[in-house]
């Protein structure tokens, strides 16, 4: 049972709701159960007893996805269940509500939640933490919504893996050369960290899989990257980005830089530079944007990019017309991808939206919220970026650490795995990931498409007979089993 009555309104009745009972302890509502929400809630619970605060986490999914491991999950290097941390396990002693936040009325200190089933309801609070994260940033490109898929959550990563392997399965038994070429052409749009890691891991997996297809050679696979900028991996220095580009070109990956996707109707790709080809796989990784509920359905202040404006203390604050810090919004906090967190070490800029900053921001936010409850002074968030690491496939990677350590190949790949397995929440998940890596090293990749998982009722629907016309009698009778019939039973 929740620690307190969560809603003061009953949507099923027209009568006025009774006056809410006064709460014995302050309620802290955390919107979002991702990196920010999960770490904030865990730290608050660790430092505040149940008699000091009631903590509620709201998220549409019952788990947190550790995004840096999505490419490896898509390539089958990590089991899909091991890149998520179930809220019911990771958030002990915390109320978890599964639903989508549709409105934030901080003036009334209420949020509206839309559950997967049932009517919307409101939850009141004393303190609000906004960690709603980001969603894919798409463009009105003809055919994009109908033909592309994102790579933002574990469901999409596994769907891409199953789709790529399924296209290889089907192409291996297809004699139509044009159709086969279309099936074996895989297109990725967006050359940032997410896009390059996804492309590199999926390509590495697909080339490994060709050893199981006598009719498919590695040269039959065509992987295409479309990127609007003149380089890839803008998060690393230009020389390291160039090295990664050349290494991936050696693997046969085709790059179109300074190029935009103009159309992809019916799988026919047309680019801004006039390149045209057919494909049955389009993966969109061209950026993210803050959760739109902040700008569209919230009274919290936001910037032109839709992010909540905050102070370095991670308190929500309004900005003045000249862009300077303004009035603090009482009892509201925000961090992560959906917040414009000032980067004190790089004046004039904001902290990048990555897991490294999100987790550290969450820790500082929780400490500051506790300090405010206890009447203590707040501390500004300040973190020097220790570096960036990227996986480019099995035993391949690129990394820049502490501003001067530059790693390439296996050492960078090892640094990537080491850092992220340590950052993965819960010891259970760390152990499972390590066991999976050991199993893969000893027995190789598990290459199998389970595409039917995405529509498990398809075969049953096809086997079902059409219903009788209205008024027509439906006869049902038991039939003897084959074994009984054979023995004359």
């Amino acid at each position: 049972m929740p620690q307190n009555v969560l809603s003061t309104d009953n949507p099923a009745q027209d009568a006025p709701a009774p006056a809410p009972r006064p709460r014995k302890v302050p309620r802290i509502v955390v919107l979002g159960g991702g990196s920010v929400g999960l770490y904030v809630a865990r730290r608050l619970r660790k430092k505040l007893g149940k008699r000091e605060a009631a903590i509620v986490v709201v998220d549409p999914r019952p788990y947190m996805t550790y995004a840096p491991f999505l490419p490896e999950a898509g390539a089958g290097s990590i089991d899909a269940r091991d890149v998520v941390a179930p809220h019911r396990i990771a958030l002990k002693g915390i109320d978890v509500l599964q639903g989508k936040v549709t409105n934030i009325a901080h003036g009334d200190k209420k949020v509206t939640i839309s559950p997967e089933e049932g009517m919307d309801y409101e939850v009141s609070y004393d303190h609000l933490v906004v960690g709603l994260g980001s969603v894919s940033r798409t463009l009105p490109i003809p055919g994009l919504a109908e033909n592309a898929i994102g790579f933002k959550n574990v469901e999409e990563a596994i769907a891409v893996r199953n789709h790529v392997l399924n296209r290889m399965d089907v192409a291996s038994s297809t004699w139509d050369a044009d159709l086969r070429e279309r099936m074996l052409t895989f297109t990725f749009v967006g050359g940032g960290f997410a896009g390059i890691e996804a492309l590199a891991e999926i390509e590495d997996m697909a080339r490994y899989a060709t050893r199981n297809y006598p009719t498919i050679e590695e040269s039959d696979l065509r992987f295409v990257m479309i990127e609007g900028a003149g380089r890839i991996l803008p998060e690393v220095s230009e020389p390291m980005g160039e090295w990664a580009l050349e290494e991936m070109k050696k693997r046969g990956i085709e790059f179109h830089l300074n190029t935009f996707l103009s159309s992809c109707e019916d799988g026919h790709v047309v680019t801004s530079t006039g390149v045209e080809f057919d494909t049955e796989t389009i993966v969109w990784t061209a950026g993210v944007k803050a959760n739109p509920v902040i700008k569209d359905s919230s009274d919290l202040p936001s910037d032109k990019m839709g992010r909540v404006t905050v102070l370095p203390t991670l308190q929500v604050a309004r900005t003045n017309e000249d862009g300077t810090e303004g009035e603090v919004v009482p009892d509201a906090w925000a961090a992560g991808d959906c917040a414009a967190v000032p980067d004190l070490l790089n004046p004039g800029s904001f902290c990048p939206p990555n897991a490294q900053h999100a987790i550290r921001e969450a820790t500082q936010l929780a400490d500051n919220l506790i300090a405010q409850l206890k009447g203590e002074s707040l501390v500004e968030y300040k973190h020097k970026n220790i570096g960036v690491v990227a996986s480019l496939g099995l035993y391949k990677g690129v990394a820049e650490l502490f501003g001067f350590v530059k790693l390439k190949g296996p050492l960078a790949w090892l640094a990537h795995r080491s850092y992220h397995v340590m950052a993965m929440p819960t010891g259970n998940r760390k152990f499972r990931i390590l066991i999976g890596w050991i199993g893969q090293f000893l027995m190789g990749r598990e290459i199998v498409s389970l595409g039917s998982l995405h529509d498990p009722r398809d075969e049953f629907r096809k086997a079902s007979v059409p219903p009788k016309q209205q008024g027509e009698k439906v006869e049902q009778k038991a039939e003897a089993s084959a074994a009984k019939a054979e023995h004359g039973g």
Side-chain angles (χ1 to χ4, degrees):
M1 290 293 290
Q3 297 161 338
N4 290 281
V5 178
L6 295 178
S7 175
T8 59
D9 297 320
N10 186 348
Q13 299 179 0
D14 296 328
R21 292 179 297 174
R23 283 191 284 272
K24 296 180 180 180
V25 297
R27 177 185 296 149
I28 303 171
V29 169
V30 181
L31 304 183
S35 295
V36 169
L38 184 137
Y39 279 91
V40 164
R42 281 163 62 95
R43 192 166 183 86
L44 289 173
R45 183 78 297 157
K46 180 180 179 181
K47 294 197 168 187
L48 295 175
K50 291 187 178 181
R51 294 186 178 183
E52 295 177 279
I55 305 169
V56 181
V57 173
V58 183
D59 196 276
R61 291 186 173 86
Y63 51 80
M64 183 214 82
T65 301
Y66 190 68
F69 275 148
L70 284 181
E72 291 197 53
S77 298
I78 302 176
D79 189 279
R81 292 171 296 182
D82 295 339
V83 300
V84 300
H87 290 152
R88 306 289 175 180
I89 296 175
L91 297 174
K92 295 295 186 181
I94 297 169
D95 292 327
V96 178
L97 298 178
Q98 189 174 338
K100 183 179 180 182
V101 177
T102 57
N103 186 68
I104 302 172
H106 188 66
D108 298 325
K109 289 197 172 180
K110 291 181 180 180
V111 293
T112 303
I113 300 172
S114 178
E116 188 171 333
E117 295 187 16
M119 300 182 67
D120 293 2
Y121 59 91
E122 291 183 335
V123 173
S124 61
Y125 59 84
D126 298 291
H127 302 272
L128 181 70
V129 176
V130 182
L132 290 170
S134 58
V135 298
S136 295
R137 176 177 58 84
T138 59
L139 300 172
I141 298 172
L144 183 65
E146 296 80 9
N147 297 287
I149 184 172
F151 208 87
K152 188 79 174 58
N153 54 58
V154 69
E155 295 90 346
E156 290 175 330
I158 302 309
V160 170
R161 165 188 165 83
N162 286 333
H163 175 77
V164 169
L165 292 175
N166 174 264
R167 293 301 82 193
M168 294 178 68
D169 286 335
V170 177
S172 67
S173 302
T174 299
W175 305 110
D176 185 320
D178 292 336
L179 180 58
R180 177 186 169 94
E181 182 180 356
R182 177 188 179 103
M183 289 179 178
L184 297 179
T185 298
F186 308 104
T187 307
F188 289 70
V189 184
F193 251 50
I196 292 299
E197 286 194 317
L199 166 63
E201 290 284 355
I202 295 295
E203 181 268 349
D204 197 47
M205 174 203 71
R207 297 209 187 279
Y208 177 89
T210 56
R211 63 186 66 186
N212 298 320
Y213 295 90
T215 59
I216 297 179
E217 301 291 336
E218 287 191 30
S219 58
D220 295 331
L221 303 179
R222 181 186 182 189
F223 280 84
V224 183
M225 166 58 71
I226 299 174
E227 166 55 40
R231 55 167 296 191
I232 64 170
L233 296 175
E235 298 87 347
V236 302
S237 64
E238 191 164 352
M240 293 295 277
E242 284 294 326
W243 179 85
L245 177 65
E246 292 305 315
E247 287 299 305
M248 294 178 74
K249 282 183 176 180
K250 291 177 184 178
R251 291 156 57 175
I253 300 175
E254 183 179 329
F255 284 85
H256 296 275
L257 304 181
N258 296 310
T259 303
F260 298 94
L261 178 65
S262 300
S263 173
C264 57
E265 293 181 291
D266 299 321
H268 181 70
V269 169
V270 179
T271 73
S272 59
T273 54
V275 176
E276 296 188 34
F277 58 89
D278 292 322
T279 180
E280 292 190 359
T281 307
I282 302 173
V283 183
W284 179 267
T285 61
V288 296
K289 62 181 180 180
N291 192 306
V293 74
I294 293 169
K295 196 170 187 66
D296 299 339
S297 304
S298 165
D299 58 0
L300 296 174
S302 59
D303 64 5
K304 61 182 180 181
M305 296 178 66
R307 301 173 298 183
V308 182
T309 52
V310 300
L311 301 179
T313 55
L314 303 172
Q315 296 169 285
V316 176
R318 305 185 189 282
T319 55
N320 298 318
E321 293 183 0
D322 60 358
T324 58
E325 298 176 356
E327 177 188 3
V328 172
V329 177
D331 305 321
W333 310 75
D337 293 7
C338 68
V341 180
D343 188 347
L344 298 183
L345 297 178
N346 296 285
S349 61
F350 298 97
C351 294
N354 57 37
Q356 181 184 149
H357 276 286
I359 293 171
R360 287 172 171 78
E361 289 168 8
T363 300
Q364 189 61 66
L365 189 158
D367 288 345
N368 280 347
L369 201 163
I370 294 168
Q372 187 180 78
L373 289 175
K374 296 181 177 180
E376 300 171 356
S377 59
L378 308 186
V379 177
E380 294 182 334
Y381 173 74
K382 186 185 300 183
H383 171 65
K384 185 176 181 180
N385 196 334
I386 63 174
V388 290
V389 289
S391 172
L392 302 179
L394 197 60
Y395 308 126
K396 311 172 189 74
V398 59
E400 287 185 321
L401 306 175
F402 311 109
F404 62 91
V405 178
K406 301 182 187 300
L407 304 176
K408 302 173 182 177
L411 282 178
W413 170 84
L414 185 61
H416 172 273
R417 285 200 165 186
S418 300
Y419 174 81
H420 286 302
V421 78
M422 292 302 296
M424 184 72 193
T426 76
N428 176 291
R429 281 324 190 248
K430 297 180 198 288
F431 182 73
R432 286 176 178 271
I433 290 171
L434 288 172
I435 291 298
W437 284 338
I438 293 171
Q440 181 192 60
F441 177 77
L442 296 175
M443 296 177 285
R445 295 178 188 256
E446 185 64 42
I447 304 296
V448 61
S449 169
L450 295 175
S452 59
L453 286 175
H454 306 294
D455 188 8
R457 295 187 63 250
D458 180 60
E459 187 172 343
F460 182 79
R461 283 196 302 268
K462 292 175 179 177
S464 299
V465 297
K468 299 287 186 180
Q469 296 295 324
Q470 187 174 4
E472 190 175 351
K473 186 178 180 181
V474 179
E475 294 185 3
Q476 299 186 58
K477 61 180 180 179
E479 295 183 0
S481 67
K484 190 174 180 181
E486 286 180 1
H487 290 85

